[in-house]
Amino acid sequence: MTRFLYLTDTHFGANPIGFHQQTAYPERLADLINALRGEVIRHSADFVIHGGDLIDCCSVDLIRQAYDLLKLPVPVYLCLGNHDLDRPDAVELWLSHAPDLFIGGSPHYEVVCTSCVVHVMPNHWESGYEYYWKGAQMPCFTESQLHRLEQAIEAHPGKAHVLVTHSPVFGMSREQSGLDRVIHDAPETFRQSIVNLVRKHPGLKVVLSGHNHLNTLHLTEEAAFASASSLVETPFEYKLVEVSDTQMRMTTHRLDLSGLTGFSPDYNEARTYVQGREQDREFIVAIP
């Protein structure tokens, strides 16, 4: 059995916070990570994956501070998000000052486990600008990324596969939100590039993302596509992914902050859809 925790969009260093879905407390990240330590132990997690936007803007100081905060009893890995990549030399800075958040000195890598392989593949944000977010919201992959991913999947034919990228593949449905539109929908070209991969490779059963700060789940015959809310937004949630020889299971959990005195976070009752319905917060998919 492989177990890992998945969290995302901490935006450390934001002052004030920009985009958010619920009330956000990036300044309390140290307290939240301290609470996460207990969750790592409680779930007997093998590692933790951060789905991106660890920091709010890329600088050496913020990288170093966030890197120090993420010292946990197990390895922590990062899928770079757009806010992590808002300068041309961002990847160089990350690999130089937080090397343990990656494997093999690359932002695109694999975590190979006994029962699965987790493929961390950050998306780009504009064609022609690899690992550099200038403000565009046009997620895409390069052909070389997709080719490398396929090779990595084919190199482990007997294992189940999980893909982690920052941008969500599907938006939040009208049924979940109760609104008259899909929230944070993905461009069709981006969505199709991942859907095609899932159809071509039956072992690729789960795609995890962040960016939209929403708990969403889209199930197809081939795979589960899930996004997660921000760890620093009330009520401070993360995902637990458990992989056995026969199934993958994802559940959504809240940090236990009962030991944190003097902290009374606000919650926007008009946006309870951020947390999702029960069916948006967990899944089980069979492994052939």
Side-chain angles (χ1 to χ4, degrees), residues 19-46:
F19 175 79
H20 58 99
Q21 298 283 5
Q22 273 289 351
T23 309
Y25 297 89
E27 72 278 5
R28 303 303 295 259
L29 184 59
D31 292 323
L32 300 177
I33 295 299
N34 189 50
L36 188 69
R37 288 186 176 89
E39 305 298 303
V40 167
I41 295 169
R42 181 167 72 90
H43 293 298
S44 299
D46 298 299

Side-chain angles (χ1 to χ4, degrees), residues 89-105:
D89 60 346
V91 167
E92 178 183 347
L93 295 181
W94 279 106
L95 295 177
S96 296
H97 299 283
D100 293 345
L101 298 182
F102 311 92
I103 293 176

Side-chain angles (χ1 to χ4, degrees), residues 2-7 33 36-50 67-78 100-103 111 238-240:
T2 298
R3 297 183 180 90
F4 67 91
L5 304 189
Y6 179 74
L7 60 97
I33 295 299
L36 188 69
R37 288 186 176 89
E39 305 298 303
V40 167
I41 295 169
R42 181 167 72 90
H43 293 298
S44 299
D46 298 299
F47 55 93
V48 173
I49 293 187
H50 192 299
Y67 182 41
D68 288 340
L69 286 176
L70 286 178
K71 301 297 185 184
L72 292 171
V74 296
V76 179
Y77 303 111
L78 173 62
D100 293 345
L101 298 182
F102 311 92
I103 293 176
V111 185
Y238 65 92
K239 310 285 190 184
L240 169 65

Side-chain angles (χ1 to χ4, degrees), residues 89-141:
D89 60 346
V91 167
E92 178 183 347
L93 295 181
W94 279 106
L95 295 177
S96 296
H97 299 283
D100 293 345
L101 298 182
F102 311 92
I103 293 176
S106 171
H108 181 177
Y109 55 91
E110 287 73 47
V111 185
V112 181
C113 312
T114 55
S115 56
C116 67
V117 179
V118 180
H119 305 265
V120 177
M121 187 170 77
N123 59 277
H124 308 302
W125 297 94
E126 184 177 358
S127 179
Y129 293 91
E130 295 185 20
Y131 302 116
Y132 175 32
W133 178 55
K134 300 197 303 175
Q137 293 284 337
M138 296 179 288
C140 59
F141 297 114

